[in-house]
Amino acid sequence: DQQVKQNSPSLSVQEGRISILNCDYTNSMFDYFLWYKKYPAEGPTFLISISSIKDKNEDGRFTVFLNKSAKHLSLHIVPSQPGDSAVYFCAASGAGANNLFFGTGTRLTVIP
Amino acid sequence: GAGVSQSPRYKVAKRGQDVALRCDPISGHVSLFWYQQALGQGPEFLTYFQNEAQLDKSGLPSDRFFAERPEGSVSTLKIQRTQQEDSAVYLCASSLDRVGNTGELFFGEGSRLTVL
């Protein structure tokens, strides 16, 4: 039973444009959400996070939006760069949880 | 090194063999996690240590899987009598504190296990 879902396995965007990656979750107890980025043959690396008390968190070109009522979050990358090409995983955690629940990932390709 | 180190990077085992995967977390990190990532899937939780104590092993898929962290630093994930369905990348991650507090895990590069 997948508690965190990324329904788009892949996304292609032109360099300089906005990339929007989406994530849905089912567990209303989740209160902390993260995005990880993964290059081939490397482990995932933390990108940005958001607590459920916020609806937006911004870090440079990366912004995460949280819509709790819809149980939906999204990652916006603007402007997109070729170096952003990677697999992006959405993850969620509940209060005091011992682990993260990951989505299946979205492969982003930024075309020069 | 500064990051999480895992070995071996690649392991090929014949069905029925036992394997041991090692994780060396970031120095001083209290929490250590093992995740299993099958092809085309996201990482799935296996087990969690806080120092040397294994506080959660709810994700271990069978009693063939065993993990330890005897001195609160290096951890070993052991898989006995490997099966083809065990083929996956095994990721180790560490964090300064519990996931619920900091949220950020530092992952190693993973150990890719292929069972023939």
Side-chain angles (χ1 to χ4, degrees):
Chain A
D1 183 27
Q2 197 78 20
Q3 298 190 57
V4 178
K5 300 177 184 179
Q6 295 176 257
N7 293 320
S8 297
S10 63
L11 174 69
S12 290
V13 171
Q14 206 72 32
E15 181 179 3
R17 298 286 184 97
I18 185 171
S19 295
I20 301 177
L21 295 94
N22 293 302
C23 177
D24 297 292
Y25 61 95
T26 58
N27 190 337
S28 58
M29 297 300 292
F30 288 149
D31 63 359
Y32 198 77
F33 304 89
L34 308 91
W35 286 93
Y36 280 79
K37 177 179 178 179
K38 186 183 183 303
Y39 292 117
E42 295 184 10
T45 56
F46 171 76
L47 189 58
I48 192 169
S49 64
I50 188 167
S51 164
S52 60
I53 62 173
K54 295 184 176 181
D55 55 17
K56 176 182 174 181
N57 188 26
E58 191 171 353
D59 183 2
R61 296 185 297 112
F62 303 91
T63 303
V64 56
F65 295 92
L66 175 62
N67 182 334
K68 282 188 294 182
S69 61
K71 294 192 180 69
H72 177 83
L73 65 156
S74 60
L75 174 68
H76 292 209
I77 307 172
V78 55
S80 301
Q81 299 174 354
D84 296 331
S85 296
V87 176
Y88 289 79
F89 290 100
C90 171
S93 173
N98 294 323
N99 60 292
L100 296 178
F101 293 84
F102 285 85
T104 52
T106 297
R107 180 178 301 279
L108 173 66
T109 302
V110 180
I111 303 163
Chain B
V4 177
S5 177
Q6 291 188 246
S7 61
R9 290 290 311 278
Y10 303 93
K11 175 69 179 178
V12 178
K14 291 183 179 178
R15 190 161 54 95
Q17 276 186 331
D18 297 348
V19 299
L21 308 176
R22 176 190 166 106
C23 173
D24 206 333
I26 294 173
S27 177
H29 276 197
V30 166
S31 296
L32 185 144
F33 303 80
W34 283 98
Y35 282 80
Q36 179 190 58
Q37 186 177 13
L39 190 63
Q41 301 297 313
E44 291 197 5
F45 171 77
L46 292 177
T47 187
Y48 159 66
F49 291 86
Q50 194 170 95
N51 296 306
E52 69 279 1
Q54 188 176 21
L55 298 187
D56 188 345
K57 52 181 181 179
S58 62
L60 295 177
S62 78
D63 59 6
R64 295 186 296 103
F65 286 71
F66 172 77
E68 60 183 4
R69 193 187 185 197
E71 297 177 0
S73 179
V74 171
S75 177
T76 304
L77 175 68
K78 296 179 180 178
I79 309 172
Q80 297 177 321
R81 304 181 304 281
T82 52
Q83 304 294 317
Q84 284 188 323
E85 61 263 28
D86 300 335
S87 296
V89 175
Y90 291 85
L91 293 164
C92 177
S94 67
S95 73
L96 272 173
D97 203 337
R98 293 180 64 189
V99 168
N101 292 334
T102 69
E104 181 178 351
L105 298 184
F106 294 83
F107 281 88
E109 294 174 320
S111 292
R112 181 180 295 277
L113 172 65
T114 303
V115 182
L116 302 177

